[in-house]
Amino acid sequence: MSQEGASNSRRRFLTGAVAVVGGVGAAYTAVPFLAYWNPSATTRAAGAPVEVDTSTLEPGQRMNISWRGQPVWVIRRSEAALEALPTLEDTLADPASDVASQQPSYAQNTHRSIDPEFLVVVPICTHLGCIPSYMPKAGSLDADWQGGFFCPCHGSKFDLAGRVYAGVPAPTNLVVPPHRVAENGLLVVGEDDEEAA
Ligand code: FES
């Protein structure tokens, strides 16, 4: 093979290798149950809003993102989970989300989000800051459990809207960050309609 031919074939090989690596990267975001969205370091440092494609999430699935250096979980709730939320109110410390610091005003509702199907929440326990376990299945913690978050550090429990149960160490509901649904259907975390206007 001439020197020029060898150089062309090496170039073709490298182009193919890059295409394969790109394909693997794209497939990674489609991993079922737990996907991880990792914006660039510059985006994270600036605290810029993060756009999330929720179309790949099945009911019960969770996606981890990072916004302003803290974890944020995006969870698609099942129909059964949504139906259970109003039935839990007597067992919760702040069922109506009266503590205003824990969510934007548009999330002061039973599901604590803009779109009832999708919860956007900062998974940092409001007691001493541990990361709770995500336990979406009814009955997986105890017989009355309707799905939610369990903090292994001192036993605080939260429902699938991030509302804290009464009688546990955590004093308040989990934090819901600003979020909105963009015109293209993407979920934007870290910005709401008021800020975007
Ligand atoms: S840090 Fe979660 S219960 Fe104490």
Side-chain angles (χ1 to χ4, degrees):
M1 189 182 291
S2 71
Q3 202 172 346
E4 191 185 348
S7 159
N8 281 344
S9 96
R10 178 175 156 69
R11 204 173 300 126
R12 273 197 300 277
F13 169 76
L14 285 175
T15 307
V18 168
V20 168
V21 169
V24 169
Y28 180 68
T29 59
V31 171
F33 202 72
L34 175 63
Y36 191 83
W37 184 270
N38 194 10
S40 74
T42 316
T43 302
R44 284 201 304 272
V50 181
E51 289 189 336
V52 181
D53 180 4
T54 55
S55 65
T56 56
L57 280 181
E58 298 291 332
Q61 287 185 332
R62 169 187 59 164
M63 184 182 283
N64 282 358
I65 64 166
S66 172
W67 174 65
R68 290 196 177 164
Q70 61 186 354
V72 175
W73 288 351
V74 178
I75 290 170
R76 184 174 176 191
R77 289 174 285 216
S78 67
E79 220 167 285
L82 281 172
E83 282 169 9
L85 291 179
T87 70
L88 299 171
E89 295 187 351
D90 288 349
T91 61
L92 303 172
D94 183 12
S97 296
D98 287 328
V99 180
S101 57
Q102 300 310 98
Q103 68 283 308
S105 57
Y106 48 81
Q108 196 179 17
N109 47 44
T110 306
H111 43 87
R112 300 186 73 227
S113 60
I114 284 201
D115 181 339
E117 218 174 349
F118 292 98
L119 173 67
V120 184
V121 71
V122 176
I124 296 177
C125 180
T126 53
H127 180 220
L128 291 175
C130 290
I131 303 286
S133 304
Y134 173 48
M135 302 182 70
K137 280 195 183 146
S140 59
L141 186 63
D142 55 50
D144 296 330
W145 186 247
Q146 294 299 319
F149 310 94
F150 174 70
C151 183
C153 290
H154 313 96
S156 290
K157 298 186 290 183
F158 306 84
D159 73 357
L160 275 175
R163 298 178 298 178
V164 67
Y165 278 81
V168 301
T172 55
N173 296 341
L174 298 178
V175 168
V176 170
H179 62 283
R180 68 186 177 91
V181 179
E183 280 173 16
N184 58 8
L186 293 178
L187 177 73
V188 183
V189 176
E191 181 182 80
D192 50 29
D193 282 330
E194 286 135 43
E195 287 176 65

